[in-house]
Amino acid sequence: MRVPPTGDSPRRSTRSGPSRRTLLAAAAAAAAVPATGLAVSQATAAPPRSADRPLADPDLGPNVIFFDPSTPDIQGRLDQIFRRQESAQFGTGRYALLFKPGTYNGLNAQLGFYTSVLGLGLSPDDTHINGDVTVDAGWFDGNATQNFWRSAENLSLSPVSGTNRFAVSQAAPFRRMHVRGNLNLAPSGYGWASGGYIADSRVDGTVQPYSQQQWYTRDSSIGGWLNAVWNMVFSGVEGAPGQSFPDPPYTTLDTTPISREKPFLYLDGAEYRVFLPALRRNARGTTWGGGPQGESLPLSDFHVVKEGATAASINAALREGKHLLLTPGIYHVDAPIVIDRADTVVLGIGYPTIIPDGGVRAMTVADVDGVRLAGFLLDAGPENSDVLLEVGPEGSSAGHEGNPTTLQDVFIRIGGAGPGKATTCMVINSRHVLVDHTWVWRADHGDGVGWETNRCDYGVVVNGDDVLITGLFVEHFNKYDVRWNGERGRTVFFQNEKAYDAPNQAAIQNGDLRGYAAYKVADDVGEHEGWGMGSYCYYNVDPTIVQEHGFATPTGPGIRFHHIMVVSLGGQGQYAHVVNDHGGPTSGTDTIPAKVVAYP
């Protein structure tokens, strides 16, 4: 059932410079979609440790905090960290809160910036909280559009009120979670929220987006879905609403073409291990209901990276054949981290942040099978890097269909925490790469922000063939946000905003075209497909700017776009068309999408 938005007008915040985005206001409440009666998973919990057999926790640095059900004053410790992180949007604190298998009563884990809460069971049901994992927006006057960089993973919850609140925007995944109740994605007061991501999760009740602009849910099970505002996308979701774009704007794929869940740390008896979920094709539903499929590595196979580590020490561990566990912290590197061995795992917990110094690249990956990158943030340094993350060197051509490189919850930022520059954030040269949830962001607020101050021309450039991206969030780049040059590329869900701070029409002129498309498929590409894609403009420096289109693509029998749209936020700039010269234009001061159901 669609819940129409109210007629409240957009407003602007005065915090930290211009507001993150202008949104439709809160959606009116309505009856929930009837639940489908999904059964609760009965996975067996790992046995709790006995009091006479203490477990030695590994040293993962001072900001990895372990809890078990006997830990005293868990709530007090959670509250202390939340007070520190609640409004620290560009602060230096990083935290991973690790809950050992067992049952915890009466907790409310409120998540601030750069905070991850993670269960340590093999199944989410191994670690159960009779309570909540909460994200709200009190710190920002009820506006959730800047609730970035936090995560909840591998837990089950019985919310106190029957509904857990997780009001987030970008870079805030909800993975391997079991909510024994409802899940509310809006802040209290139903203020603005600008989209997020769920994967490999079960919600027994109803997911309630309310004022969320857009959302992507993958390979999960839900009891129902309440409403849609602009763009709700589902792939492989049991209980998802039927496809109905444009009204209501649901894009529903029965399965996800290819998926592989994020690696995770877990406790196997007295031993810490990392589980590597198996690759799935045409996936649907969670991986863990009948026991996860994949392989397990001992923590001893990993080099534990803690603050103070250098590029030299990290690369030395990689050359010795170690995987990497990046612990919470900020890491300056004076040379790229080089991943050149097949099947290497780089797993971050608690939003470890890598900053390249002196204009070097942050990380490079060889053209090899099965590399897994997950759970970290790359933050541009003040000297321009040509590329921050390169997956495969230029000219890569080897096939990796049976064991692709995967990127999950890998986020990239240009500016905001201080001046940062790059020419391109992420370049994918290898074939068959799977990117699952990324937010690549040129900052529109914070420190070191300006058209030339945090210059970055391109967000994501895909040169490799047969690349699939599920959950692609890319925003505010000076030229193309996404440029796709490889064949047979596919994107399931795309969320974009054009750069707010373009000074005038001339600054974004692209030859004869007014502006660079948010998503550009190269003119010589013969096969490409996308589902559930949106681009928004808010040219608040010069509201007279006209953007020719959100999407640019060649046409032909191998090119297919499904359910795409453009929006002018509050009439600050306009789109002339949705895709090429088709669809649109956006309309004056109305924040109403121009939509195209299918192209060509």
Side-chain angles (χ1 to χ4, degrees):
M1 179 183 295
R2 182 174 187 265
V3 181
T6 67
D8 293 346
S9 60
R11 57 193 168 105
R12 299 288 288 163
S13 167
T14 57
R15 292 193 184 215
S16 300
S19 168
R20 176 65 179 69
R21 67 194 71 233
T22 309
L23 298 173
L24 293 180
V33 178
T36 59
L38 295 171
V40 175
S41 170
Q42 297 296 322
T44 303
R49 68 180 175 96
S50 63
D52 59 354
R53 187 176 61 83
L55 177 68
D57 296 318
D59 179 7
L60 302 183
N63 290 343
V64 175
I65 296 104
F66 292 91
F67 300 105
D68 67 36
S70 67
T71 301
D73 195 22
I74 297 175
Q75 188 64 57
R77 187 73 172 111
L78 296 175
D79 291 345
Q80 178 189 46
I81 294 168
F82 177 66
R83 286 192 298 269
R84 188 174 300 159
Q85 298 301 113
E86 180 183 11
S87 59
Q89 182 172 178
F90 299 111
T92 58
R94 304 286 188 273
Y95 291 91
L97 312 177
L98 274 52
F99 283 79
K100 298 175 187 177
T103 299
Y104 301 77
N105 294 314
L107 295 184
N108 181 17
Q110 299 183 82
L111 300 184
F113 286 98
Y114 313 108
T115 304
S116 296
V117 57
L118 306 105
L120 288 172
L122 190 57
S123 163
D125 287 328
D126 293 344
T127 310
H128 184 67
I129 295 176
N130 286 311
D132 298 79
V133 172
T134 301
V135 180
D136 207 341
W139 75 278
F140 202 41
D141 300 328
N143 178 348
T145 61
Q146 294 183 27
N147 279 354
F148 313 141
W149 304 307
R150 63 199 77 196
S151 68
E153 304 179 50
N154 204 29
L155 296 164
S156 64
L157 308 173
S158 291
V160 170
S161 69
T163 300
N164 189 80
R165 185 183 304 278
F166 199 74
V168 299
S169 290
Q170 288 72 33
F174 196 81
R175 286 185 181 269
R176 292 180 59 80
M177 296 290 288
H178 183 187
V179 180
R180 303 182 188 191
N182 304 316
L183 180 62
N184 186 334
L185 304 179
S188 56
Y190 303 98
W192 309 328
S194 61
Y197 171 92
I198 294 170
D200 201 23
S201 294
R202 180 186 297 273
V203 179
D204 293 345
T206 302
V207 181
Q208 305 164 346
Y210 294 111
S211 53
Q212 280 285 355
Q213 273 182 316
Q214 69 280 306
W215 197 276
Y216 176 50
T217 306
R218 180 184 61 71
D219 297 353
S220 295
S221 297
I222 61 176
W225 190 274
L226 182 63
N227 72 287
V229 176
W230 286 350
N231 188 28
M232 300 292 170
V233 179
F234 309 85
S235 68
V237 178
E238 298 169 345
Q243 185 155 290
S244 55
F245 189 94
D247 187 20
Y250 294 134
T251 299
T252 304
L253 285 70
D254 189 58
T255 61
T256 303
I258 303 169
S259 63
R260 180 157 59 189
E261 299 303 330
K262 180 180 177 181
F264 60 92
L265 185 68
Y266 76 105
L267 189 54
D268 181 16
E271 182 183 10
Y272 284 88
R273 301 180 69 87
V274 173
F275 193 81
L276 308 180
L279 189 71
R280 298 202 293 171
R281 299 187 187 278
N282 299 315
R284 181 172 173 83
T286 67
T287 64
W288 45 268
Q293 300 297 307
E295 62 178 310
S296 178
L297 300 175
L299 188 58
S300 58
D301 286 355
F302 286 75
H303 174 63
V304 177
V305 183
K306 292 183 280 190
E307 277 202 299
T310 64
S313 65
I314 294 169
N315 284 329
L318 289 166
R319 287 193 297 270
E320 292 170 3
K322 291 286 190 178
H323 306 286
L324 300 179
L325 180 67
L326 304 174
T327 67
I330 296 176
Y331 302 92
H332 285 265
V333 295
D334 58 3
I337 297 171
V338 178
I339 315 296
D340 58 9
R341 189 182 74 255
D343 300 313
T344 299
V345 179
V346 180
L347 174 62
I349 57 174
Y351 286 83
T353 303
I354 300 168
I355 303 174
D357 293 332
V360 302
R361 297 179 176 187
M363 186 177 292
T364 63
V365 181
D367 190 26
V368 295
D369 278 354
V371 171
R372 304 188 194 217
L373 309 179
F376 55 87
L377 172 64
L378 302 180
D379 205 352
E383 294 184 49
N384 189 78
S385 299
D386 65 338
V387 173
L388 292 177
L389 172 61
E390 182 185 59
V391 182
E394 187 176 350
S396 295
S397 60
H400 307 290
E401 184 175 12
N403 187 15
T405 285
T406 54
L407 286 71
Q408 295 166 300
D409 302 343
V410 173
F411 308 121
I412 303 180
R413 180 172 67 192
I414 307 288
K421 290 185 177 182
T423 303
T424 305
C425 284
M426 181 190 301
V427 175
I428 299 173
N429 292 316
S430 287
R431 297 180 59 196
H432 299 109
V433 171
L434 172 61
V435 180
D436 174 47
H437 189 222
T438 187
W439 185 39
V440 181
W441 184 57
R442 177 181 167 266
D444 62 281
H445 63 272
D447 294 330
V449 172
W451 184 249
E452 297 295 343
T453 306
N454 62 328
R455 179 91 192 185
C456 189
D457 287 346
Y458 308 106
V460 176
V461 175
V462 180
N463 297 319
D465 294 340
D466 307 293
V467 171
L468 171 65
I469 305 183
T470 54
L472 177 59
F473 300 74
V474 187
E475 299 187 300
H476 305 150
F477 288 87
N478 295 80
K479 292 184 178 179
Y480 293 120
D481 298 275
V482 174
R483 180 161 186 150
W484 207 298
N485 303 316
E487 286 286 357
R488 296 174 298 280
R490 292 176 290 179
T491 295
V492 182
F493 184 87
F494 173 64
Q495 185 265 324
N496 166 263
E497 285 180 346
K498 295 302 299 174
Y500 290 178
D501 56 348
N504 49 51
Q505 188 77 51
I508 64 165
Q509 192 67 20
N510 179 16
D512 295 333
L513 292 174
R514 293 172 293 181
Y516 291 81
Y519 191 101
K520 165 67 175 175
V521 181
D523 294 342
D524 60 352
V525 168
E527 295 183 47
H528 192 88
E529 192 162 12
W531 296 263
M533 309 174 77
S535 177
Y536 322 133
C537 73
Y538 188 80
Y539 288 118
N540 63 322
V541 175
D542 182 359
T544 68
I545 290 175
V546 175
Q547 177 77 28
E548 190 68 33
H549 42 226
F551 302 85
T553 179
T555 57
I559 303 292
R560 295 177 297 275
F561 283 86
H562 315 272
H563 306 176
I564 57 177
M565 64 177 186
V566 295
V567 184
S568 169
L569 301 178
Q572 304 294 296
Q574 300 293 334
Y575 290 89
H577 304 284
V578 178
V579 52
N580 294 348
D581 59 358
H582 187 74
T586 49
S587 54
T589 59
D590 294 330
T591 305
I592 297 175
K595 302 176 182 179
V596 169
V597 175
Y599 185 84

